[in-house]
Amino acid sequence: MPSTVPVAIKRLPHGADLPLPSYQTDDAAGMDLYAAVDAPVTLAPGEHALVPTGLSMALPTGHEAQVRPRSGLAAKHGVTVLNTPGTIDADYRGEVKVILINHGKAAFEITRGERIAQMLIAPVTRATLEEV
């Protein structure tokens, strides 16, 4: 059984009706993140956009959240997370947003409530650098 860590999460007003991130299966490593857009956003081939999730959170010290692509979006449409994996530090309290890019050949429309990325919570190991 995987270990768990409590994460305080807040729905922002523009994401209040959307589901909280959740694991889709018992063995899933990542939780799906949903688009909190008011109107559809169309990504032309080669374009990128910062997509809000309507969430903020407080990760415990010693942990990070990694935002990664959903394989279905990448395989079917060529849409992926531009700065993958995106890192959310434990001291960040702003809205979680996802930078999506369309590497596909056709325009892709992002609609409200669409699963746009996955988020993993992971422990952080800090290094002590020793100059040689």
Side-chain angles (χ1 to χ4, degrees):
M1 179 73 138
S3 63
T4 61
V5 60
V7 175
I9 194 156
K10 179 180 180 180
R11 289 183 217 222
L12 302 174
H14 61 282
D17 63 324
L18 297 174
L20 288 176
S22 63
Y23 299 101
Q24 298 298 306
T25 66
D26 289 342
D27 289 330
M31 298 177 267
D32 286 336
L33 293 173
Y34 300 87
V37 293
D38 292 327
V41 174
T42 300
L43 288 180
E47 283 189 332
H48 66 277
L50 189 60
V51 182
T53 65
L55 300 170
S56 64
M57 63 184 167
L59 293 163
T61 298
H63 289 80
E64 67 163 329
Q66 298 175 6
V67 178
R68 298 181 181 184
R70 290 194 64 243
S71 57
L73 284 182
K76 294 175 188 172
H77 306 285
V79 174
T80 189
V81 176
L82 185 58
N83 63 326
T84 190
T87 296
I88 302 168
D89 294 312
D91 59 357
Y92 178 71
R93 296 295 182 266
E95 181 176 7
V96 175
K97 296 181 181 181
V98 179
I99 307 169
L100 290 180
I101 188 166
N102 182 357
H103 287 303
K105 295 178 181 168
F108 179 77
E109 186 175 83
I110 303 161
T111 57
R112 183 171 186 79
E114 183 166 3
R115 295 182 299 161
I116 56 169
Q118 59 181 323
M119 177 176 68
L120 283 73
I121 308 299
V124 172
T125 300
R126 295 196 61 161
T128 302
L129 302 181
E130 298 177 7
E131 190 171 356
V132 296

